[in-house]
């Protein structure tokens, strides 16, 4: 039996049998040679790898992993503890080195503002086509909104809204608005000049995938605080989350339809507030969301020119399009022969943009990769100072206090909001049911 086993191994390790070894035998060799550990999110039982030893490159662990994983349509990801996770291929997620190559390629496409503007015009049109947003907009029913009772708090109000979008479908959200006393309102008007006062700023706040959705504490704190500072703020459920889950089911969220519906819902909310309220300054319209909400913020800024300031938070990368079909289900990254969220964000130039990033997620590359690229594009417009990056290297993926502070500071600067009203302790955090359409 020992001789038979030896002969079988030898038979697999020759030219006639393509020098085949088992996947696990090969990976054990890699682990031993480079002193690393592997974890697997894929089924590897029975897998065989031809030319196994030839795929090992003594000068590079990661090239070795590329050579092995790509044969099976797997990918590798280095973990914080130094181990490597082997996962299925993900079209929306790439390595940092791929982001570097993408940025270098994009930089080669335009040497000046004229070339960039031509590229922007072409890609934006193609994004609309690939998303299918205009076909959906033609089907809008413009249903009459259902509004909850207006609730008053310290310096702000909240009212829930439900709007029929397509026939039998709805977007569900809440509107946080300033409720200044006469003295505060007089001070705001004086600061801007009575003749130039044209109403409150508006900030659309698409939600991300944080636990609790738009009902969570930090979301209420951010929108209510911005409202206290002088901005009308609007958030709304992700498609298939919150009240939308009741209508469509949770499984609807992880579909390509969610990608276009969330964009549509954002535009419907924007139109509704601008058309229904007479107290909005149409020159101060912002968009700010975190994680998947940051991805939506960039997409909305590509789809609609009315936004005048944007603050995508813990989302932007050249090597990650978003880990959910609601962010990458429609193939918009194929526009223009290939694009990424960094280029889509660059289309916002020269208008003010804040990028909030941290060291604990895919945005860790922003200071060294995406932000310098954005600075180059803004410089073409003579507006280098209009794009800023607040990077929090010791923080992880959330919308915590320091990230909210960065957002407050940004909108104080670009919209002239009242920093004296920035006090999250004044915010009343309510139960999720209170923020839903049928709230009493």
């Amino acid at each position: 039996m020992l001789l038979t086993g030896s002969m079988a191994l030898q038979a697999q390790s020759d030219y006639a049998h393509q020098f085949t070894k088992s996947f696990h035998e090969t990976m054990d060799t890699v682990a031993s040679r480079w002193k690393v550990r592997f974890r697997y999110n894929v089924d590897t039982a029975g897998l065989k790898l031809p030319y196994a030893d030839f795929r090992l490159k003594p000068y590079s662990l990661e090239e070795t992993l590329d050579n092995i994983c790509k044969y099976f349509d797997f990918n590798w990801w280095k973990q914080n503890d130094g181990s490597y996770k082997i996962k299925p291929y993900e079209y929306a997620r790439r390595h940092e080195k791929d982001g570097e190559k993408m940025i270098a390629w994009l930089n080669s496409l335009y040497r000046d503002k004229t070339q960039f503007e031509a590229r922007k015009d072409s890609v934006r049109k193609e994004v609309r086509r690939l998303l299918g947003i205009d076909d959906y907009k033609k089907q809008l029913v413009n249903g009459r909104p259902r509004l909850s009772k207006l609730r008053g708090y310290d310096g702000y109000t909240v009212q829930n809204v439900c709007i029929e979008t397509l026939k039998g479908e709805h977007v569900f959200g809440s509107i946080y608005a300033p409720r200044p006393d006469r003295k505060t309102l007089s001070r705001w008007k004086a600061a801007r000049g009575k003749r130039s006062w044209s109403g409150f700023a508006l900030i659309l706040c698409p939600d991300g995938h944080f636990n609790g959705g738009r009902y969570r504490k930090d979301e209420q704190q951010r929108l209510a605080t911005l409202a206290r500072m002088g901005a009308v703020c609007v958030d709304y459920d992700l498609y298939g989350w919150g009240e939308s889950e009741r209508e469509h089911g949770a499984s609807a969220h992880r579909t390509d339809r969610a990608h276009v519906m969330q964009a549509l819902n954002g535009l419907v909310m924007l139109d509704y507030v601008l058309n229904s309220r007479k107290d909005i300054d149409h020159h101060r319209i912002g968009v700010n969301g975190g994680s998947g909400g940051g991805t939506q913020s960039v997409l909305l800024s590509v789809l609609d020119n009315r936004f005048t300031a944007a603050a995508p938070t813990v989302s932007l990368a050249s090597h990650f399009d978003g880990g959910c079909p609601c962010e990458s289900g429609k193939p918009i990254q194929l526009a223009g022969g290939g694009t990424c969220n960094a280029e889509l964000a660059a289309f916002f130039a020269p208008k003010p943009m804040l990028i909030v990033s941290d060291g604990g997620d895919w945005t860790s590359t922003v200071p060294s990769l995406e932000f310098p690229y954005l600075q180059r594009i803004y410089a073409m417009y003579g507006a280098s100072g209009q794009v800023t990056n607040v990077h929090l290297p010791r923080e992880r993926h959330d919308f915590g206090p320091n990230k909210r502070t960065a957002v407050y500071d940004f909108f104080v600067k670009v919209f002239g909001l009242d920093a004296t009203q920035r006090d999250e302790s004044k915010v009343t955090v309510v139960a999720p049911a209170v923020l839903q359409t049928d709230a009493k």
Side-chain angles (χ1 to χ4, degrees):
M1 291 296 293
L2 289 175
L3 178 61
T4 302
S6 176
M7 291 177 62
L9 179 59
Q10 183 179 2
Q12 293 177 16
S13 300
D14 60 25
Y15 173 77
H17 295 86
Q18 299 181 314
F19 300 97
T20 299
K21 289 186 177 180
S22 76
F23 176 80
H24 275 289
E25 181 183 2
T26 306
M27 294 300 285
D28 286 346
T29 300
V30 174
S32 177
R33 178 176 290 192
W34 276 279
K35 310 301 182 187
V36 294
R37 295 177 293 109
F38 294 108
R39 290 183 281 162
Y40 298 92
N41 280 14
V42 291
D43 182 4
T44 61
L47 296 182
K48 302 292 183 181
L49 184 64
Y51 308 105
D53 289 336
F54 292 90
R55 298 176 188 271
L56 277 61
K57 301 302 178 185
Y59 48 80
S60 175
L61 167 61
E62 294 184 349
E63 283 190 38
T64 294
L65 294 178
D66 280 344
N67 290 339
I68 295 169
C69 289
K70 287 179 179 178
Y71 181 81
F72 300 104
D73 213 20
F74 297 160
N75 210 339
W76 56 268
W77 298 98
K78 189 173 183 179
Q79 306 300 293
N80 290 333
D81 61 2
S83 67
Y84 286 79
K85 184 178 289 186
I86 308 301
K87 300 176 64 177
Y89 171 76
E90 300 170 274
Y91 70 95
R93 188 189 304 267
R94 300 169 293 281
H95 293 292
E96 292 177 11
K97 62 182 180 182
D98 297 309
E100 294 171 3
K101 294 174 183 177
M102 172 61 85
I103 293 296
W105 177 71
L106 291 173
N107 277 328
S108 74
L109 297 181
Y110 22 80
R111 294 187 301 273
D112 54 34
K113 176 182 171 182
T114 300
Q115 291 181 334
F116 180 74
E117 283 286 331
R119 164 82 176 175
K120 177 172 74 172
D121 182 65
S122 173
V123 172
R124 289 179 69 173
K125 289 177 181 176
E126 197 167 352
V127 165
R128 297 189 75 92
R129 180 183 64 81
L130 292 169
L131 188 65
I133 187 74
D134 293 315
D135 290 336
Y136 277 71
K137 289 186 74 174
K138 292 175 184 176
Q139 301 174 49
L140 286 173
V141 300
N142 298 312
R144 184 176 180 180
R146 290 170 50 203
L147 297 169
S148 74
K149 185 177 89 172
L150 185 70
R151 301 181 301 281
Y153 301 100
D154 186 340
Y156 69 101
T157 64
V158 184
Q159 187 169 37
N160 309 328
V161 58
C162 167
I163 304 173
E164 187 175 16
T165 53
L166 307 183
K167 188 174 182 180
E169 300 188 44
H170 303 80
V171 57
F172 306 89
S174 297
I175 301 171
Y176 296 69
R179 189 192 186 189
D181 56 34
R182 290 183 180 180
K183 183 177 179 181
T184 302
L185 184 58
S186 296
R187 187 175 72 250
W188 291 353
K189 290 182 177 181
R192 294 189 64 82
K194 289 186 178 181
R195 292 184 179 180
S196 64
W197 170 262
S198 54
F200 302 118
L202 169 64
I203 305 174
L204 196 70
C205 299
D207 194 29
H209 295 95
F210 299 116
N211 290 336
R214 68 180 182 88
Y215 312 109
R216 65 188 191 278
K217 179 179 179 180
D218 69 83
E219 177 92 350
Q220 295 186 48
Q221 288 175 315
R222 177 167 53 95
L223 272 68
T225 300
L226 287 167
R228 296 185 76 252
M229 294 165 66
V232 173
C233 296
V234 185
D235 66 358
Y236 47 97
D237 283 325
L238 291 168
Y239 185 71
W241 278 41
E243 291 186 273
S244 179
E245 180 181 347
R246 299 179 190 173
E247 187 168 278
H248 299 286
S251 61
H253 181 69
R254 294 195 62 81
T255 64
D256 62 353
R257 192 172 195 267
H259 197 182
V260 63
M261 283 302 299
Q262 287 178 180
L264 184 74
N265 288 344
L267 297 178
V268 167
M269 281 294 197
L270 177 64
D271 286 338
Y272 168 68
V273 176
L274 291 179
N275 293 331
S276 64
R277 298 185 68 109
K278 305 302 182 184
D279 58 354
I280 301 297
D281 181 351
H282 288 226
H283 297 289
R284 293 188 295 156
I285 301 176
V287 58
N288 165 236
S291 190
T295 308
Q296 287 189 62
S297 296
V298 170
L299 179 56
L300 287 166
S301 75
V302 171
L303 297 174
D304 199 302
N305 285 322
R306 288 175 292 181
F307 294 105
T308 62
T313 300
V314 295
S315 64
L316 191 74
S318 54
H319 46 88
F320 187 44
D321 305 327
C324 178
C326 80
E327 300 171 78
S328 55
K330 297 292 185 180
I332 64 172
Q333 280 74 25
L334 300 181
T339 187
C340 64
N341 285 335
E343 184 180 41
L344 297 181
F347 293 161
F348 201 64
K351 294 182 282 189
M353 174 174 281
L354 165 70
I355 309 298
V356 181
S357 56
D358 63 73
D361 60 23
W362 55 90
T363 65
S364 61
T365 60
V366 167
S368 61
L369 185 57
E370 289 83 8
F371 185 55
Y373 163 74
L374 290 170
Q375 286 180 305
R376 175 179 179 254
I377 301 304
Y378 271 74
M380 292 178 180
Y381 293 84
S384 299
Q386 291 288 75
V387 60
T388 55
N389 172 219
V390 171
H391 186 66
L392 303 164
R394 297 186 178 182
E395 296 199 8
R396 300 185 67 80
H397 189 70
D398 60 21
F399 216 136
N402 291 330
K403 287 145 185 148
R404 298 196 299 275
T405 294
V407 169
Y408 299 149
D409 289 344
F410 173 71
F411 285 115
V412 165
K413 178 181 178 181
V414 301
F415 283 170
L417 300 188
D418 186 355
T420 67
Q421 300 302 306
R422 186 173 69 188
D423 184 353
E424 290 187 343
S425 70
K426 301 291 187 181
V427 175
T428 300
V429 178
V430 300
V434 179
L435 295 171
Q436 297 183 345
T437 308
D438 53 2
K440 303 298 184 184

